[in-house]
Amino acid sequence: MPDSETRDPEAAPGAVAPSDPAPASAETAGPVARRSVLRGIGLAGAAVVAAGAGVLAYRGYDQGVVATGRGPAYEPWRTWRDHRGPAAAVAAALLAANPHNIQPWLFRIAGEDIDVYADPDPERRIPVLDPYDRELHVGLGCALENLVLAARAGGSDPQVRLLPDPGNAGHVATVTLRPGPRVAGAEYDAIPHRHTNRGPYRDRPIEDGLLGRMRALGAADDSGPRLVWVTDPAQRSAVSDLMVRAAEAVTADEQQSVDGFAWFRADWDDIQHHRDGLTVDAQGVPAPVRSAAKLLPAQSRQAGDKFWVAQTRTVHTRTAAAYGMILVPDVNDPADRLRGGQLLQRLHLFATAQGLALQHMNQITERADRERQAGLAPEFGDALRNLLDNTPGTGAPGDRVLVMFRAGYPVRAALASPRRHVSEVLR
Amino acid sequence: MIRVAGWLAIAGGALAAVAGAVAAVAGDTIPEWTGNKQAPELLGTVTVGLGLLAGACGWWLSRAAARPAGAPTARLLAAAAILAAVGVVGFTTVGTLWYVPGPLLLAAAALVIAEAARRGDAGASLRRLWLPMLTAVPALGYLLLAGTASPAAAAAGVFGGLAVLAALVVRRRRRLAYALLLAGALPFAIITWWSIVTPVLAVVILVLGHLSIVDARRTASADSQKILVNPVEMAPSDSTYQ
């Protein structure tokens, strides 16, 4: 056995530790060599662990695991009050609720007018989920509501004209800002805190008084959009069943599934670059689950569909304290949809100010519109009508359901979705 | 060779700092030069720090080259590891602007490694540095993650990463090293417990850091025994003990 193997591996050439037996022997060489091999294996194992830690750290950095709500895509939520004049109203408008976070809006500031347009970009659509632009107009109505609230907070008296240009259906509104008193209520202050909450809600009913106050935010008569609550346990259960069935039907329809999946952004760089779409952060799952989802490879469309249906069955419907339905005289009239969207946003802001959570649940109306578009049997269209007929207080017989949502007291706060910068939505 | 490596590292570090400053100030207007980053201000600032670190290594190498006894092999290898790490990382922070400082720093690292390899005790020195270098990996991960975290978490992450690196430097002073290790590893992991990443990194830091400290004490003990037995032959291999 070579002499060197009996020496301390740290020893300089020629140095011999006092405890070392001077000459190496066959009896002592074995254990020393074995120890040396074991130490080598240990160091190699440590290297593998360190390399794994390095890869994990980089993955965490690359996927923004500790950067939730940070980066340019989330700046509009923090900087919206920094703008002045009409741009301040636009900065508030782009924080509004909208379908699949496609942000289907453009704005033009011309003197004291702010024109609101549906973005003509065909990419900024969900054509199979929303074939008749129902959700698109509702989203634009939501933006309009924020715009009006911010204009009032800025000392204007906003005059809204819906669909001011009969020759241009994409020009959905013009808001004229006349001087007025500064009015900034709780709803205005709630703008940056309003997020769709897809997490579980507490097992606590919403007080009747609160439900009534929210109902009062809608039209008093049948001339405009109205809110109807579904709180009765039996009826709520029926709506829940319908929601789950509709979610299953959406995922079973490949085109609808693809349409929705196209707006899911799993990559942190994509989120920061595009500043739109649905994200892991906004799914309402517990923080460690959220982190794991970001660290692991992105889910397939099929896996994402399964997750959504499971969440709808076990979280969204099971923990809903109440369902809300916004009714309008004509769901095909863009003006009614815009007004319905304004009411939806007003409700959401009011709910946020009251500590309530709200989640838009569009699967039933998406299926009803899809059935109509594809010439299918109107399973969900009929179910929606039956639901309305069996719900007390629905008022005018001609009214139809424009949108639905669930509400309740949240278990955990909702997180923000990405938003484009003001400069990106100005014409 | 070490003198040349020192100059290269100083030049590379200075250019790296300039590249970082340019990216921080003008990264949005010249994205094709700065790697089209989403947050060029942050990455540019980080790069300035990396450039200063590389420059400091170069300055130390220049001074070490001027000393008659030269630098201990272990420290040369540590300097080479820092220069190589900075030389590689810069390519991901400021894009094309790194095309000059990066190769300069990598060349400096290569020269230092060549000089260390020429010495007879390179293997032993590398074994001595192996565990601290591995522990530095998750510590650098802390610094990387801190760059994206909220202000409070970022402060804990930066402090944590630097404290762990400091613990590795003073690893022969057991109590201080353990104190720095714990103070560095735990706060960031506790604040961001839900991230999964930082608690895992903390465990790796604590395990590898503990092994580094134990190994340093064992090595120090063996070294003192060797010095007692054969001080003449021991002396040239590691000037730390002169």
Side-chain angles (χ1 to χ4, degrees):
Chain A
M1 185 60 65
D3 197 43
S4 62
E5 289 195 11
T6 64
R7 286 186 186 143
D8 187 315
E10 309 291 341
V16 179
S19 57
D20 286 349
S25 67
E27 289 77 25
T28 57
V32 173
R34 209 163 33 243
R35 200 183 312 143
S36 184
V37 168
L38 288 174
R39 180 177 162 80
I41 291 172
L43 290 177
V48 170
V49 169
V55 170
L56 184 68
Y58 184 77
R59 177 75 177 163
Y61 162 77
D62 196 40
Q63 280 291 80
V65 168
V66 295
T68 301
R70 299 184 62 76
Y74 297 90
E75 267 175 24
W77 293 99
R78 288 187 291 274
T79 60
W80 69 288
R81 287 184 203 253
D82 297 347
H83 299 271
R84 290 288 170 267
V90 174
L94 59 83
L95 300 181
N98 67 99
H100 289 249
N101 198 20
I102 63 174
Q103 300 171 46
W105 41 59
L106 280 179
F107 304 88
R108 189 172 71 96
I109 298 172
E112 60 180 12
D113 287 347
I114 302 175
D115 293 313
V116 185
Y117 297 91
D119 192 331
D121 181 357
E123 295 293 312
R124 219 161 267 289
R125 291 284 188 282
I126 36 176
V128 191
L129 284 169
D130 187 27
Y132 300 110
D133 288 344
R134 172 205 297 251
E135 293 175 24
L136 177 124
H137 282 124
V138 169
L140 290 166
C142 290
L144 198 54
E145 181 67 14
N146 269 16
L147 197 153
V148 166
L149 287 172
R152 285 189 187 131
S156 294
D157 176 21
Q159 306 294 317
V160 179
R161 279 174 293 149
L162 297 180
L163 304 165
D165 183 356
N168 181 2
H171 185 185
V172 296
T174 293
V175 182
T176 303
L177 305 182
R178 301 255 161 74
R182 284 184 188 275
V183 182
E187 283 80 10
Y188 171 76
D189 290 333
I191 286 175
H193 307 295
R194 182 219 59 83
H195 308 299
T196 298
N197 194 322
R198 298 178 178 85
Y201 297 167
R202 294 189 190 285
D203 184 16
R204 172 185 165 187
I206 303 172
E207 297 78 1
D208 286 342
L210 209 48
L211 293 173
R213 285 169 68 192
M214 290 177 76
R215 197 182 297 115
L217 293 172
D221 53 28
D222 57 1
S223 63
R226 292 176 304 110
L227 170 66
V228 171
W229 285 113
V230 178
T231 53
D232 173 69
Q235 277 204 311
R236 227 170 54 209
S237 174
V239 175
S240 294
D241 287 345
L242 200 56
M243 288 283 184
V244 174
R245 274 172 47 212
E248 287 170 340
V250 167
T251 56
D253 183 329
E254 188 174 354
Q255 288 183 57
Q256 281 202 310
S257 168
V258 168
D259 212 23
F261 188 68
W263 284 95
F264 193 85
R265 303 211 184 277
D267 185 87
W268 187 247
D269 282 341
D270 272 355
I271 292 168
Q272 297 295 345
H273 179 70
H274 294 287
R275 304 178 178 200
D276 56 19
L278 302 177
T279 64
V280 169
D281 284 338
Q283 295 310 306
V285 293
V289 176
R290 203 172 68 217
S291 299
K294 288 179 174 180
L295 291 168
L296 293 169
Q299 278 194 320
S300 67
R301 175 170 61 82
Q302 290 80 0
D305 283 348
K306 272 187 190 171
F307 171 79
W308 178 49
V309 171
Q311 288 290 101
T312 303
R313 182 179 288 115
T314 60
V315 177
H316 302 169
T317 55
R318 190 163 293 173
T319 68
Y323 289 107
M325 300 191 289
I326 291 183
L327 311 183
V328 294
D330 184 358
V331 293
N332 296 311
D333 178 359
D336 273 0
R337 294 167 173 179
L338 290 166
R339 290 189 201 99
Q342 283 189 274
L343 173 58
L344 179 64
Q345 183 72 8
R346 207 177 307 146
L347 287 165
H348 203 165
L349 292 170
F350 180 86
T352 303
Q354 298 297 323
L356 281 172
L358 193 147
Q359 179 187 0
H360 312 282
M361 301 189 75
N362 296 322
Q363 54 262 53
I364 299 176
T365 48
E366 283 171 353
R367 277 314 292 172
D369 285 354
R370 173 67 167 156
E371 287 165 348
R372 188 176 144 207
Q373 179 207 29
L376 303 171
E379 179 190 352
F380 289 94
D382 286 351
L384 208 52
R385 262 189 293 277
N386 290 338
L387 181 69
L388 204 54
D389 292 342
N390 295 328
T391 304
T394 49
D399 279 1
R400 289 288 173 265
V401 177
L402 178 68
V403 284
M404 298 177 73
F405 60 87
R406 70 175 177 126
Y409 288 96
V411 169
R412 66 183 76 95
L415 297 175
S417 291
R419 284 295 190 275
R420 289 182 292 166
H421 191 263
V422 168
S423 61
E424 294 177 271
V425 298
L426 278 177
R427 262 187 168 172
Chain B
M1 198 181 282
I2 294 299
R3 190 184 305 276
V4 176
W7 290 341
L8 284 175
I10 289 172
L15 288 172
V18 171
V22 170
V25 174
D28 281 329
T29 51
I30 51 167
E32 67 279 11
W33 284 90
T34 54
N36 202 21
K37 304 296 181 192
Q38 293 295 331
E41 299 87 359
L42 172 68
L43 291 172
T45 307
V46 169
T47 307
V48 171
L50 292 174
L52 294 176
L53 179 63
C57 275
W59 178 76
W60 178 80
L61 286 170
S62 301
R63 286 195 54 179
R67 286 201 298 265
T73 308
R75 292 189 182 180
L76 284 183
L77 287 171
I82 292 170
L83 290 173
V86 172
V88 170
V89 168
F91 284 106
T92 70
T93 58
V94 289
T96 309
L97 292 181
W98 199 252
Y99 281 13
V100 175
L104 284 177
L105 296 176
L106 292 174
L111 285 177
V112 176
I113 290 169
E115 168 63 20
R118 202 173 55 78
R119 298 182 178 182
D121 61 340
S125 298
L126 189 60
R127 274 196 296 277
R128 225 176 257 190
L129 279 177
W130 190 241
L131 283 170
M133 283 198 300
L134 294 184
T135 313
V137 172
L140 293 174
Y142 262 29
L143 294 176
L144 188 67
L145 288 164
T148 63
S150 63
V158 170
F159 169 78
L162 295 177
V164 172
L165 293 176
L168 298 175
V169 172
V170 300
R171 63 190 182 280
R172 290 190 177 186
R173 296 165 66 186
R174 192 168 60 110
R175 286 188 182 171
L176 178 61
Y178 276 123
L180 284 169
L181 204 60
L182 288 169
L186 295 181
F188 191 37
I190 290 169
I191 291 175
T192 58
W193 65 270
W194 43 265
S195 71
I196 298 176
V197 180
T198 52
V200 170
L201 292 184
V203 170
V204 174
I205 285 172
L206 291 174
V207 171
L208 293 181
H210 166 69
L211 292 175
S212 299
I213 294 168
V214 169
D215 195 53
R217 283 179 60 78
R218 192 181 64 78
T219 308
S221 165
D223 283 347
S224 13
Q225 288 176 334
K226 285 169 203 165
I227 291 167
L228 287 173
V229 171
N230 201 343
V232 178
E233 289 199 23
M234 185 66 197
S237 69
D238 195 330
S239 59
T240 309
Y241 299 102
Q242 288 184 3

